[in-house]
Coordinates of all heavy atoms in Angstrom, one line a residue:
M248 N 10.3 -18.8 27.7 CA 10.6 -18.6 26.3 C 9.4 -18.5 25.4 O 9.4 -17.6 24.6 CB 11.6 -19.6 25.9 CG 12.1 -19.4 24.5 SD 13.1 -17.9 24.4 CE 14.3 -18.3 23.2
P249 N 8.4 -19.4 25.5 CA 7.3 -19.3 24.6 C 6.5 -18.0 24.8 O 6.0 -17.5 23.8 CB 6.4 -20.5 25.0 CG 7.2 -21.4 25.8 CD 8.3 -20.6 26.4
L250 N 6.5 -17.4 26.0 CA 5.8 -16.1 26.2 C 6.5 -15.0 25.4 O 5.9 -14.1 24.8 CB 5.6 -15.8 27.6 CG 4.8 -14.6 28.0 CD1 3.4 -14.7 27.4 CD2 4.8 -14.3 29.5
L251 N 7.9 -15.1 25.4 CA 8.6 -14.1 24.7 C 8.4 -14.1 23.2 O 8.2 -13.1 22.6 CB 10.1 -14.3 25.0 CG 11.1 -13.4 24.2 CD1 10.9 -11.9 24.6 CD2 12.5 -13.8 24.5
V252 N 8.3 -15.3 22.7 CA 8.0 -15.5 21.3 C 6.6 -15.0 20.9 O 6.4 -14.3 19.9 CB 8.2 -17.0 20.9 CG1 7.7 -17.2 19.4 CG2 9.6 -17.5 21.0
L253 N 5.7 -15.3 21.8 CA 4.3 -14.8 21.6 C 4.3 -13.2 21.6 O 3.6 -12.6 20.8 CB 3.4 -15.3 22.7 CG 1.9 -15.1 22.5 CD1 1.4 -15.7 21.2 CD2 1.1 -15.6 23.7
K254 N 5.1 -12.6 22.5 CA 5.1 -11.2 22.6 C 5.7 -10.6 21.3 O 5.3 -9.6 20.8 CB 6.0 -10.7 23.7 CG 5.4 -10.9 25.1 CD 6.4 -10.4 26.1 CE 6.0 -10.5 27.5 NZ 7.0 -10.0 28.5
L255 N 6.7 -11.3 20.8 CA 7.4 -10.8 19.6 C 6.6 -11.0 18.3 O 6.7 -10.3 17.3 CB 8.7 -11.4 19.4 CG 9.8 -11.0 20.5 CD1 11.0 -11.9 20.3 CD2 10.1 -9.6 20.4
V256 N 5.6 -12.0 18.3 CA 5.0 -12.3 17.1 C 3.5 -11.9 17.0 O 3.0 -11.5 15.9 CB 5.0 -13.9 16.9 CG1 4.2 -14.4 15.8 CG2 6.5 -14.3 16.7
L257 N 2.8 -11.8 18.1 CA 1.4 -11.6 18.1 C 1.0 -10.3 17.5 O 0.2 -10.2 16.6 CB 0.8 -11.7 19.6 CG -0.7 -11.6 19.7 CD1 -1.4 -12.7 18.9 CD2 -1.1 -11.6 21.1
V258 N 1.5 -9.2 18.0 CA 1.1 -7.8 17.5 C 1.4 -7.6 16.1 O 0.6 -7.2 15.3 CB 1.6 -6.7 18.4 CG1 1.4 -5.3 17.8 CG2 1.0 -6.8 19.8
P259 N 2.7 -8.0 15.6 CA 2.9 -7.8 14.2 C 2.0 -8.7 13.3 O 1.6 -8.3 12.2 CB 4.4 -8.3 14.0 CG 5.0 -8.0 15.4 CD 3.9 -8.3 16.3
L260 N 1.6 -9.9 13.8 CA 0.7 -10.7 13.0 C -0.7 -10.0 12.9 O -1.4 -10.1 11.9 CB 0.6 -12.1 13.6 CG 1.7 -13.0 13.3 CD1 1.5 -14.4 14.0 CD2 1.8 -13.3 11.8
L261 N -1.1 -9.4 14.0 CA -2.4 -8.8 14.0 C -2.4 -7.6 13.1 O -3.4 -7.4 12.3 CB -2.8 -8.3 15.4 CG -3.2 -9.4 16.4 CD1 -3.3 -8.8 17.8 CD2 -4.4 -10.1 16.0
I262 N -1.3 -6.8 13.1 CA -1.2 -5.7 12.2 C -1.1 -6.1 10.7 O -1.7 -5.5 9.8 CB 0.0 -4.8 12.6 CG1 -0.4 -4.1 14.0 CG2 0.2 -3.7 11.6 CD1 0.8 -3.4 14.6
A263 N -0.4 -7.2 10.5 CA -0.3 -7.7 9.1 C -1.7 -8.2 8.7 O -2.1 -8.0 7.5 CB 0.7 -8.9 9.1
G264 N -2.4 -8.8 9.6 CA -3.8 -9.2 9.2 C -4.7 -8.1 8.8 O -5.5 -8.2 7.9
I265 N -4.6 -7.0 9.6 CA -5.4 -5.8 9.2 C -4.9 -5.2 7.9 O -5.8 -4.8 7.1 CB -5.2 -4.7 10.3 CG1 -6.0 -5.2 11.6 CG2 -5.8 -3.4 9.9 CD1 -5.7 -4.3 12.8
T266 N -3.6 -5.3 7.6 CA -3.1 -4.8 6.3 C -3.7 -5.6 5.2 O -4.2 -5.1 4.2 CB -1.6 -4.8 6.3 OG1 -1.1 -4.0 7.4 CG2 -1.1 -4.3 5.0
V267 N -3.7 -6.9 5.3 CA -4.2 -7.8 4.3 C -5.7 -7.6 4.1 O -6.2 -7.5 3.0 CB -3.9 -9.3 4.7 CG1 -4.7 -10.3 3.8 CG2 -2.4 -9.6 4.6
A268 N -6.4 -7.4 5.3 CA -7.8 -7.2 5.2 C -8.1 -5.9 4.5 O -9.1 -5.8 3.7 CB -8.4 -7.1 6.6
S269 N -7.3 -4.9 4.7 CA -7.6 -3.6 4.0 C -7.4 -3.7 2.5 O -8.1 -3.1 1.7 CB -6.6 -2.5 4.5 OG -5.3 -2.7 4.1
H270 N -6.4 -4.5 2.0 CA -6.3 -4.7 0.6 C -7.4 -5.6 0.0 O -7.8 -5.3 -1.1 CB -4.9 -5.4 0.3 CG -3.7 -4.5 0.6 ND1 -3.5 -3.3 -0.1 CD2 -2.7 -4.6 1.5 CE1 -2.4 -2.8 0.4 NE2 -1.9 -3.5 1.3
R271 N -7.9 -6.5 0.7 CA -8.9 -7.4 0.2 C -10.3 -6.9 0.4 O -11.2 -7.1 -0.5 CB -8.8 -8.8 0.8 CG -7.5 -9.5 0.4 CD -7.5 -10.9 0.9 NE -6.3 -11.6 0.5 CZ -6.0 -12.8 0.7 NH1 -6.9 -13.6 1.2 NH2 -4.9 -13.3 0.3
L272 N -10.6 -6.3 1.5 CA -11.9 -5.9 1.9 C -12.2 -4.4 1.9 O -13.4 -4.0 2.1 CB -12.3 -6.5 3.2 CG -12.1 -8.1 3.3 CD1 -12.3 -8.5 4.7 CD2 -13.1 -8.8 2.4
G273 N -11.2 -3.6 1.7 CA -11.4 -2.2 1.6 C -11.0 -1.4 2.8 O -10.9 -2.0 3.9
P274 N -10.9 -0.1 2.7 CA -10.4 0.7 3.8 C -11.4 0.9 4.9 O -11.0 1.2 6.0 CB -10.2 2.1 3.1 CG -11.0 2.1 1.8 CD -11.1 0.6 1.4
R275 N -12.7 0.8 4.6 CA -13.7 1.0 5.7 C -13.5 -0.1 6.8 O -13.5 0.2 8.0 CB -15.1 0.9 5.2 CG -15.5 2.2 4.7 CD -17.0 2.3 4.5 NE -17.4 3.6 4.0 CZ -18.5 3.9 3.6 NH1 -19.5 3.1 3.7 NH2 -18.7 5.1 3.1
L276 N -13.4 -1.4 6.3 CA -13.2 -2.5 7.3 C -11.9 -2.3 8.0 O -11.8 -2.6 9.2 CB -13.4 -3.8 6.6 CG -13.2 -5.0 7.6 CD1 -14.4 -5.1 8.6 CD2 -13.1 -6.3 6.8
A277 N -10.9 -2.0 7.2 CA -9.5 -1.8 7.8 C -9.6 -0.7 8.9 O -8.9 -0.8 9.9 CB -8.5 -1.5 6.7
G278 N -10.3 0.4 8.6 CA -10.4 1.4 9.6 C -11.1 1.0 10.9 O -10.7 1.3 12.0
A279 N -12.1 0.2 10.7 CA -12.9 -0.4 11.9 C -12.0 -1.3 12.6 O -11.9 -1.3 13.9 CB -14.1 -1.1 11.4
L280 N -11.2 -2.1 11.9 CA -10.3 -3.1 12.6 C -9.2 -2.3 13.3 O -8.7 -2.8 14.4 CB -9.7 -4.1 11.6 CG -10.7 -5.1 11.1 CD1 -10.0 -5.9 10.0 CD2 -11.3 -6.0 12.1
T281 N -8.7 -1.3 12.7 CA -7.6 -0.5 13.3 C -8.1 0.2 14.6 O -7.3 0.4 15.5 CB -7.1 0.6 12.3 OG1 -6.7 -0.1 11.1 CG2 -6.0 1.4 12.9
G282 N -9.4 0.4 14.7 CA -9.9 1.0 15.9 C -9.9 0.1 17.1 O -10.1 0.5 18.2
L283 N -9.8 -1.2 16.8 CA -9.7 -2.2 17.9 C -8.3 -2.1 18.6 O -7.3 -1.7 18.0 CB -9.9 -3.6 17.3 CG -11.3 -3.9 16.7 CD1 -11.3 -5.2 16.0 CD2 -12.4 -3.7 17.7
P284 N -8.3 -2.5 19.8 CA -7.0 -2.4 20.6 C -6.0 -3.6 20.2 O -5.7 -4.5 21.0 CB -7.4 -2.5 22.0 CG -8.7 -3.3 22.0 CD -9.4 -3.0 20.7
V285 N -5.5 -3.5 18.9 CA -4.7 -4.6 18.5 C -3.3 -4.6 19.1 O -2.6 -5.6 19.1 CB -4.5 -4.6 16.9 CG1 -5.8 -4.9 16.3 CG2 -4.0 -3.3 16.4
V286 N -2.9 -3.4 19.6 CA -1.6 -3.3 20.3 C -1.8 -3.3 21.8 O -1.2 -4.1 22.6 CB -0.8 -2.1 19.9 CG1 0.4 -1.9 20.7 CG2 -0.5 -2.1 18.4
A287 N -2.8 -2.5 22.3 CA -3.0 -2.4 23.8 C -3.6 -3.7 24.4 O -3.3 -4.0 25.5 CB -3.9 -1.2 24.1
G288 N -4.4 -4.4 23.6 CA -5.0 -5.6 24.1 C -4.0 -6.7 24.4 O -4.0 -7.2 25.6
P289 N -3.1 -7.0 23.5 CA -2.1 -8.0 23.8 C -1.1 -7.6 24.9 O -0.7 -8.4 25.8 CB -1.4 -8.2 22.5 CG -2.3 -7.9 21.5 CD -3.2 -6.8 22.1
V290 N -0.8 -6.3 24.9 CA 0.1 -5.8 26.0 C -0.6 -5.9 27.4 O 0.0 -6.3 28.3 CB 0.4 -4.3 25.7 CG1 1.1 -3.7 26.9 CG2 1.3 -4.2 24.5
A291 N -1.9 -5.6 27.4 CA -2.6 -5.8 28.7 C -2.7 -7.3 29.1 O -2.5 -7.6 30.3 CB -4.0 -5.2 28.6
L292 N -2.8 -8.1 28.1 CA -2.8 -9.6 28.4 C -1.5 -10.0 29.0 O -1.4 -10.7 30.0 CB -3.1 -10.4 27.2 CG -2.9 -11.9 27.3 CD1 -4.0 -12.5 28.3 CD2 -3.0 -12.6 26.0
F293 N -0.4 -9.5 28.4 CA 1.0 -9.9 28.9 C 1.2 -9.3 30.3 O 1.8 -10.0 31.1 CB 2.0 -9.5 27.9 CG 1.9 -10.2 26.6 CD1 2.0 -9.4 25.4 CD2 1.6 -11.5 26.5 CE1 1.9 -10.1 24.2 CE2 1.5 -12.1 25.3 CZ 1.7 -11.4 24.1
I294 N 0.8 -8.1 30.5 CA 0.9 -7.5 31.8 C 0.2 -8.3 32.9 O 0.7 -8.6 34.0 CB 0.4 -6.0 31.8 CG1 1.4 -5.2 31.1 CG2 0.2 -5.5 33.3 CD1 0.9 -3.7 30.9
A295 N -1.1 -8.8 32.5 CA -1.8 -9.6 33.5 C -1.2 -10.9 33.8 O -1.2 -11.4 34.9 CB -3.3 -9.8 32.9
L296 N -0.6 -11.5 32.7 CA 0.1 -12.8 32.9 C 1.3 -12.7 33.8 O 1.6 -13.6 34.6 CB 0.4 -13.4 31.6 CG -0.8 -13.9 30.7 CD1 -0.3 -14.4 29.4 CD2 -1.6 -15.0 31.4
E297 N 2.1 -11.6 33.6 CA 3.3 -11.4 34.3 C 3.2 -10.7 35.6 O 4.0 -11.1 36.6 CB 4.3 -10.7 33.4 CG 4.7 -11.4 32.2 CD 5.7 -10.6 31.3 OE1 5.8 -9.4 31.5 OE2 6.3 -11.3 30.4
Q298 N 2.3 -9.7 35.7 CA 2.3 -8.9 37.0 C 1.1 -9.2 37.9 O 1.1 -8.7 39.0 CB 2.3 -7.4 36.6 CG 3.5 -7.0 35.7 CD 4.8 -7.1 36.5 OE1 4.9 -6.9 37.7 NE2 5.8 -7.4 35.8
G299 N 0.1 -9.9 37.3 CA -1.1 -10.2 38.1 C -2.2 -9.3 37.7 O -2.1 -8.2 37.1
T300 N -3.4 -9.7 38.1 CA -4.6 -9.0 37.7 C -4.8 -7.6 38.3 O -5.4 -6.7 37.7 CB -5.9 -9.9 38.0 OG1 -5.9 -10.2 39.4 CG2 -5.8 -11.2 37.1
G301 N -4.4 -7.4 39.5 CA -4.5 -6.1 40.2 C -3.7 -5.1 39.4 O -4.2 -4.0 39.1
F302 N -2.5 -5.4 39.1 CA -1.6 -4.5 38.3 C -2.2 -4.2 37.0 O -2.2 -3.1 36.5 CB -0.2 -5.0 38.2 CG 0.8 -4.1 37.6 CD1 1.5 -3.2 38.4 CD2 1.0 -4.1 36.2 CE1 2.4 -2.3 37.8 CE2 1.9 -3.2 35.7 CZ 2.6 -2.3 36.5
A303 N -2.7 -5.3 36.3 CA -3.3 -5.1 35.0 C -4.5 -4.3 35.0 O -4.8 -3.5 34.1 CB -3.6 -6.5 34.4
A304 N -5.3 -4.3 36.1 CA -6.5 -3.5 36.2 C -6.1 -2.0 36.3 O -6.7 -1.2 35.7 CB -7.3 -3.9 37.5
H305 N -5.1 -1.7 37.1 CA -4.6 -0.3 37.2 C -4.1 0.1 35.9 O -4.3 1.3 35.4 CB -3.6 -0.2 38.3 CG -4.2 -0.3 39.7 ND1 -5.0 0.6 40.2 CD2 -4.0 -1.3 40.6 CE1 -5.4 0.3 41.4 NE2 -4.8 -0.9 41.7
A306 N -3.4 -0.7 35.2 CA -2.8 -0.4 33.9 C -3.9 -0.1 32.8 O -3.8 0.8 32.0 CB -1.9 -1.5 33.4
A307 N -5.0 -0.9 32.9 CA -6.1 -0.7 32.0 C -6.8 0.6 32.3 O -7.2 1.3 31.3 CB -7.1 -1.9 32.2
V308 N -7.0 1.0 33.5 CA -7.6 2.3 33.8 C -6.7 3.4 33.3 O -7.2 4.4 32.7 CB -7.8 2.4 35.4 CG1 -8.2 3.8 35.7 CG2 -8.9 1.4 35.8
A309 N -5.4 3.3 33.5 CA -4.5 4.3 33.0 C -4.5 4.4 31.4 O -4.5 5.5 30.8 CB -3.1 4.0 33.4
T310 N -4.7 3.2 30.8 CA -4.8 3.2 29.3 C -6.0 3.9 28.9 O -6.0 4.7 27.9 CB -4.8 1.7 28.8 OG1 -3.6 1.1 29.2 CG2 -4.9 1.7 27.3
L311 N -7.1 3.7 29.5 CA -8.4 4.3 29.2 C -8.3 5.8 29.4 O -8.8 6.6 28.6 CB -9.6 3.7 29.9 CG -9.9 2.3 29.5 CD1 -11.0 1.7 30.5 CD2 -10.4 2.2 28.1
A312 N -7.6 6.2 30.5 CA -7.5 7.7 30.7 C -6.6 8.3 29.6 O -6.9 9.4 29.2 CB -6.8 7.9 32.1
G313 N -5.6 7.6 29.2 CA -4.8 8.1 28.1 C -5.5 8.3 26.8 O -5.2 9.1 25.9
L314 N -6.5 7.4 26.6 CA -7.3 7.5 25.3 C -8.1 8.8 25.2 O -8.5 9.2 24.1 CB -8.2 6.3 25.2 CG -7.5 5.0 24.9 CD1 -8.5 3.9 24.9 CD2 -6.8 5.1 23.6
G315 N -8.4 9.4 26.4 CA -9.1 10.7 26.3 C -8.3 11.8 25.5 O -8.9 12.5 24.7
S316 N -7.0 11.8 25.7 CA -6.3 12.8 24.9 C -6.2 12.4 23.5 O -6.2 13.3 22.6 CB -4.8 12.9 25.5 OG -4.2 11.6 25.3
L317 N -6.2 11.2 23.1 CA -6.3 10.7 21.7 C -7.6 11.1 21.1 O -7.6 11.6 20.0 CB -6.1 9.2 21.6 CG -6.2 8.7 20.2 CD1 -5.1 9.2 19.3 CD2 -6.1 7.1 20.3
V318 N -8.7 11.0 21.8 CA -10.0 11.3 21.3 C -10.1 12.8 21.1 O -10.5 13.3 20.0 CB -11.1 10.9 22.3 CG1 -12.5 11.6 21.9 CG2 -11.3 9.4 22.3
L319 N -9.5 13.6 22.0 CA -9.5 15.1 21.8 C -8.7 15.5 20.6 O -9.1 16.3 19.8 CB -8.9 15.7 23.1 CG -8.8 17.3 23.0 CD1 -10.2 17.9 22.9 CD2 -8.1 17.8 24.3
F320 N -7.5 14.8 20.4 CA -6.7 15.1 19.3 C -7.5 14.8 18.0 O -7.5 15.6 17.0 CB -5.4 14.3 19.3 CG -4.6 14.4 18.0 CD1 -3.9 15.5 17.7 CD2 -4.7 13.3 17.1 CE1 -3.2 15.5 16.5 CE2 -4.0 13.3 15.9 CZ -3.3 14.5 15.6
C321 N -8.1 13.7 17.9 CA -8.8 13.2 16.7 C -10.0 14.2 16.4 O -10.1 14.6 15.2 CB -9.4 11.8 16.8 SG -8.1 10.6 16.9
V322 N -10.7 14.6 17.4 CA -11.8 15.6 17.1 C -11.2 16.9 16.6 O -11.8 17.5 15.7 CB -12.6 15.7 18.4 CG1 -13.6 16.9 18.3 CG2 -13.4 14.5 18.7
L323 N -10.2 17.4 17.3 CA -9.6 18.7 16.8 C -9.0 18.6 15.5 O -9.1 19.5 14.6 CB -8.6 19.2 17.9 CG -9.2 19.6 19.2 CD1 -8.1 19.9 20.2 CD2 -10.2 20.7 19.1
Y324 N -8.4 17.5 15.2 CA -7.8 17.3 13.9 C -8.8 17.2 12.8 O -8.7 17.8 11.7 CB -6.9 16.0 13.8 CG -6.2 15.8 12.5 CD1 -5.0 16.4 12.3 CD2 -6.7 15.0 11.5 CE1 -4.3 16.3 11.1 CE2 -6.0 14.8 10.3 CZ -4.8 15.5 10.1 OH -4.2 15.3 8.9
A325 N -9.9 16.5 13.0 CA -11.0 16.4 12.1 C -11.6 17.8 11.9 O -12.0 18.1 10.7 CB -12.1 15.4 12.6
H326 N -11.8 18.5 12.9 CA -12.3 19.9 12.8 C -11.4 20.8 11.9 O -11.8 21.5 11.1 CB -12.6 20.5 14.1 CG -13.1 21.9 14.1 ND1 -14.4 22.2 13.7 CD2 -12.6 23.1 14.4 CE1 -14.6 23.5 13.7 NE2 -13.5 24.1 14.1
A327 N -10.1 20.7 12.2 CA -9.1 21.5 11.4 C -9.0 21.0 10.0 O -8.8 21.8 9.1 CB -7.8 21.4 12.1
A328 N -9.2 19.7 9.7 CA -9.1 19.2 8.4 C -10.3 19.7 7.5 O -10.2 19.7 6.3 CB -9.1 17.7 8.4
L329 N -11.4 20.1 8.1 CA -12.5 20.6 7.3 C -12.3 22.0 6.8 O -13.0 22.4 5.9 CB -13.8 20.5 8.2 CG -14.3 19.2 8.6 CD1 -15.5 19.3 9.6 CD2 -14.7 18.4 7.4
R330 N -11.4 22.7 7.4 CA -11.1 24.1 6.9 C -10.3 24.1 5.7 O -9.5 23.5 5.3 CB -10.4 24.8 8.0 CG -11.4 25.0 9.2 CD -10.7 25.8 10.3 NE -11.8 26.1 11.3 CZ -11.6 27.0 12.1 NH1 -10.6 27.8 12.2 NH2 -12.6 27.3 13.0

């Protein structure tokens, strides 16, 4: 039960913390904090705790592979936004 509560509370608290930081410290810091794996990090931790480190390692590799498409989208979007 405590792990379930941690799953339900951790990520929203991290996102709320970034929101508060953006209001107090500005959008640059909030942008830098948003770039951190505030969602994927805790999910990877919970996968490792529940499924084991081998499964978590494969999931981490798949997560990094998926980030390639996100990087491509961001670069293309930034290029299109300049026009």
Side-chain angles (χ1 to χ4, degrees):
M248 184 65 145
L250 188 59
L251 176 63
V252 172
L253 187 61
K254 284 181 185 181
L255 293 174
V256 172
L257 183 61
V258 172
L260 283 177
L261 290 172
I262 293 173
I265 290 172
T266 302
V267 170
S269 72
H270 290 297
R271 292 186 180 189
L272 303 173
R275 278 197 181 172
L276 181 67
L280 291 174
T281 303
L283 297 173
V285 296
V286 174
V290 169
L292 172 68
F293 297 136
I294 287 173
L296 292 175
E297 292 179 346
Q298 303 293 326
T300 56
F302 187 88
H305 289 292
V308 169
T310 300
L311 291 175
L314 287 176
S316 64
L317 177 64
V318 168
L319 180 62
F320 169 78
C321 291
V322 168
L323 292 175
Y324 185 83
H326 180 70
L329 293 175
R330 292 182 172 198

